[in-house]
Amino acid sequence: MQYDQMKISQVMCHYVPGHSFSYERLSGGGNNVLWKVLFDGMSKFVIKDYGSDGCERLAREWAFLGKLAGNKISNVPLPIWVDRERQLACFSYLDGRKLQLRDVADAHILQAADFIERLYSVATGGLPRAKGSHDTLLGHLTEIELRVSNLENLIEQRTTSSLLNAFVVECLRPEWERRKQLILKIGGIEYFDSIHKFPSPSDFGFHNILCKKGEITCIDFEYAGIDDLAKLLADFSLTPEIPLSDAHNSLFRKTIMSRVYLDKNFEKRLALLDFLFPIKWVCIILNVFMPEKLGRILLASGSEISKRQSEKLLLATQFFSRYRKMELFK
């Protein structure tokens, strides 16, 4: 923590010399360390420390928010300055709180849909591809297969708990094989032809939304970029932190889909992704077991390792049970 404080102090003195500031550590950064900075006792900013492995996440977020600022989309953080050498960026501070599941109302869902609709009209020039964006069915299948295989590799190395081992071997892998084989049998390669791309937040859900006096603002665009609306809709319905009701997910989808251009295979492609993505999200929940990601997650959350892993394994098993009986094109 002392190193973090020195790092922030040095950067602030470099970018705003001769001014006073105070700062405090913020909670809630899934991958990063966040600081709220009070500048001259008045203005508030957020400094995000992306860490030594955060170059790609910083680049995506900075490009995306710059694009939105240029198109006068205002319910997002405004980019102030970036320090790529230190993997830091400064953004305007947005007041608000994260909603609990019980607090999410139709009005919030409609505002979220309005935000995506506005993005749909923004040109994609200058943006990178979103994280996990794929132009083909094979791309999605390959990504999920890799995620499941990575968990199996941990088991083979005997670096995980017996509970995780049993879950992956007895539940996750068999269900993934069932879904994968059904998709390969039915096909659907043509559903990915001529995808209409747009500037997507990618990791979009109420875990990345703040609310103040009934108005929402959107934060965290580290995975944002050019992507497929079908992927965003499939992901939005599955985000495990705030699992929305079927009614709210339906309202979100129907509102957007009634307002924007959809390519001819959109709904069939969405059905395929709906069927595949629960397995992907189980693996994402279990990222806390992956050695290359564990350090960053723990630095951002401050949680003790075994406790954090136990919580995530429980969440993964509950999430898996909720979506286990899904069928394709029901």
Side-chain angles (χ1 to χ4, degrees):
M1 180 66 72
Q2 185 63 35
Y3 168 75
D4 290 336
Q5 291 176 344
M6 290 177 59
K7 186 176 181 180
I8 298 301
S9 296
Q10 291 171 356
V11 170
M12 291 301 296
C13 289
H14 172 75
Y15 283 99
V16 285
H19 294 270
S20 64
F21 62 90
S22 60
Y23 49 88
E24 64 177 280
R25 175 83 176 263
L26 295 175
S27 62
N31 294 309
N32 318 285
V33 177
L34 302 175
W35 298 89
K36 180 172 73 172
V37 178
L38 187 62
F39 182 68
D40 282 349
M42 298 174 60
S43 302
K44 295 178 183 177
F45 301 94
V46 168
I47 293 180
K48 182 178 286 192
D49 186 343
Y50 295 82
S52 59
D53 64 345
C55 180
E56 186 177 286
R57 288 181 286 110
L58 185 156
R60 279 200 179 93
E61 185 158 40
W62 190 258
F64 195 80
L65 287 175
K67 170 71 75 171
L68 268 55
N71 284 270
K72 297 181 170 48
I73 295 177
S74 59
N75 59 332
V76 296
L78 182 68
I80 307 299
W81 53 257
V82 63
D83 189 323
R84 298 184 189 276
E85 181 179 352
R86 297 183 176 91
Q87 303 294 356
L88 298 173
C90 180
F91 304 97
S92 60
Y93 180 84
L94 299 179
D95 282 315
R97 65 182 181 89
K98 291 189 177 181
L99 295 171
Q100 300 296 312
L101 179 59
R102 64 180 179 273
D103 300 324
V104 178
D106 287 359
H108 302 126
I109 299 293
L110 293 175
Q111 288 182 56
D114 288 342
F115 175 65
I116 299 302
E117 181 187 3
R118 293 204 307 276
L119 294 183
Y120 213 71
S121 63
V122 174
T124 59
L127 291 177
R129 291 173 65 97
K131 182 73 171 180
S133 173
H134 299 291
D135 294 329
T136 65
L137 174 59
L138 179 60
H140 288 289
L141 291 172
T142 301
E143 178 191 339
I144 301 171
E145 175 62 37
L146 179 61
R147 289 180 181 275
V148 176
S149 296
N150 284 342
L151 288 169
E152 290 174 325
N153 290 338
L154 287 181
I155 294 172
E156 292 177 2
Q157 296 165 14
R158 298 183 179 181
T159 59
T160 57
S161 70
S162 59
L163 290 176
L164 177 65
N165 296 359
F167 174 67
V168 173
V169 172
E170 298 171 14
C171 299
L172 184 61
R173 170 55 78 176
E175 181 61 13
W176 170 233
E177 287 299 321
R178 180 183 79 85
R179 297 191 187 210
K180 180 174 61 175
Q181 295 306 319
L182 184 56
I183 289 287
L184 292 173
K185 179 180 179 180
I186 293 175
I189 294 174
E190 69 276 14
Y191 301 159
F192 291 79
D193 294 339
S194 304
I195 298 173
H196 179 80
K197 299 294 185 66
F198 82 112
S200 172
S202 190
D203 183 17
F204 186 66
F206 279 85
H207 61 296
N208 283 334
I209 287 176
L210 303 177
C211 185
K212 181 180 180 182
K213 297 181 179 179
E215 300 295 321
I216 70 166
T217 52
C218 304
I219 59 174
D220 288 346
F221 299 97
E222 298 166 30
Y223 303 122
I226 303 170
D227 209 350
D228 176 10
L229 178 63
K231 175 176 170 288
L232 181 135
L233 295 185
D235 281 331
F236 182 84
S237 67
L238 294 170
T239 50
E241 294 91 340
I242 305 180
L244 298 177
S245 67
D246 290 342
H248 276 157
N249 280 316
S250 178
L251 176 61
F252 182 73
R253 288 188 176 193
K254 288 180 178 178
T255 300
I256 293 174
M257 291 170 63
S258 67
R259 295 178 180 177
V260 304
Y261 165 79
L262 304 175
D263 59 84
K264 65 178 181 178
N265 293 314
F266 180 87
E267 294 191 41
K268 291 180 179 180
R269 185 169 69 255
L270 177 57
L272 286 182
L273 298 183
D274 279 337
F275 187 62
L276 292 175
F277 277 15
I279 303 300
K280 179 183 77 170
W281 274 97
V282 168
C283 296
I284 291 173
I285 294 169
L286 295 174
N287 272 345
V288 71
F289 287 92
M290 304 306 296
E292 68 273 15
K293 297 180 180 180
L294 182 58
R296 169 164 40 91
I297 293 172
L298 293 177
L299 178 63
S301 67
S303 300
E304 192 268 328
I305 293 176
S306 60
K307 177 183 177 182
R308 181 77 167 171
Q309 289 179 333
S310 296
E311 292 171 346
K312 290 296 186 178
L313 180 55
L314 177 59
L315 177 60
T317 56
Q318 293 172 338
F319 183 91
F320 180 84
S321 296
R322 179 180 178 185
Y323 293 101
R324 187 171 196 169
K325 296 182 178 180
M326 281 184 67
E327 297 297 337
L328 181 59
F329 298 134
K330 57 185 178 180

